[in-house]
DNA sequence: AGTGTGACACTGG
DNA sequence: TCCAGTGCCACAC
């Protein structure tokens, strides 16, 4: 098995795991970093499968608007928002305030 | 092998 | 500036 043969999902998990504490990123940013800028939607799908993994901080991944779209997929109701707020991220009605302030772009940080 | 789906992103009005 | 529609790629059935 070649490590380079990693599926798109595996790569997404890897990047998601690299998201620093108190930071958030967008699906498109991860997709772009993986070389599939137009596959932002696929990143979200990958996150859906990440439910099987506990090491994937999916709550740190939001859409470009800073909206917690994936919250509905989390266990509880406000679990995702609680997790973000717990990390110091201000979330108002499923929307992150000052998104640019918390935004973490793997394309830039990891380069 | 083909069709449908999806936790998005972008462009146009 | 905001709302709606379209495009997109990869996975599941």
């Amino acid at each position: 098995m070649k490590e380079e043969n990693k599926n798109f999902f595996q790569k997404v998990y890897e990047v998601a795991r690299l998201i620093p504490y108190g930071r958030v990123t967008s699906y498109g940013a991860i997709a772009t970093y993986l070389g599939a800028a137009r596959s932002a939607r696929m990143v979200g799908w990958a996150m859906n499968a990440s439910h099987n993994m506990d090491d994937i901080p999916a709550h740190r991944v939001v859409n470009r608007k800073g909206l917690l779209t994936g919250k509905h997929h989390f266990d509880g109701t406000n679990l995702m928002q609680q997790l973000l707020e717990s990390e110091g991220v201000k979330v108002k009605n499923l929307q992150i305030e000052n998104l640019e302030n918390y935004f973490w772009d793997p394309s830039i940080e990891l380069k």
Side-chain angles (χ1 to χ4, degrees):
Chain A
M1 317 96 96
K2 297 167 187 171
E3 299 177 16
E4 292 155 356
N5 261 354
K6 286 181 181 177
N7 288 340
F8 196 82
F9 280 34
Q10 194 64 33
K11 293 180 184 175
V12 173
Y13 302 144
E14 193 172 349
V15 176
R17 230 179 293 165
L18 293 173
I19 300 175
Y21 180 91
R23 296 287 180 194
V24 295
T25 187
S26 68
Y27 304 95
I30 296 174
T32 302
Y33 175 72
L34 298 178
R38 276 79 180 256
S39 304
R41 309 179 81 186
M42 193 41 42
V43 178
W45 196 309
M47 286 300 171
N48 190 5
S50 76
H51 273 237
N52 292 328
M53 310 193 177
D54 299 340
D55 296 348
I56 311 300
H59 62 275
R60 290 180 189 158
V61 184
V62 296
N63 64 357
R64 204 183 175 297
K65 300 170 196 166
L67 188 69
L68 281 56
T69 51
K71 173 184 178 345
H72 193 63
H73 292 264
F74 272 74
D75 237 352
T77 50
N78 53 352
L79 177 61
M80 189 172 183
Q81 181 172 336
Q82 289 294 319
L83 288 170
L84 289 172
E85 287 182 342
S86 183
E87 296 187 357
V89 179
K90 301 293 168 57
V91 181
K92 186 69 173 185
N93 196 10
L94 306 183
Q95 187 172 336
I96 296 176
E97 294 182 333
N98 304 326
L99 179 61
E100 287 185 354
N101 193 22
Y102 303 110
F103 196 77
W104 178 81
D105 191 340
S107 250
I108 298 171
E109 304 296 336
L110 299 178
K111 191 162 54 163

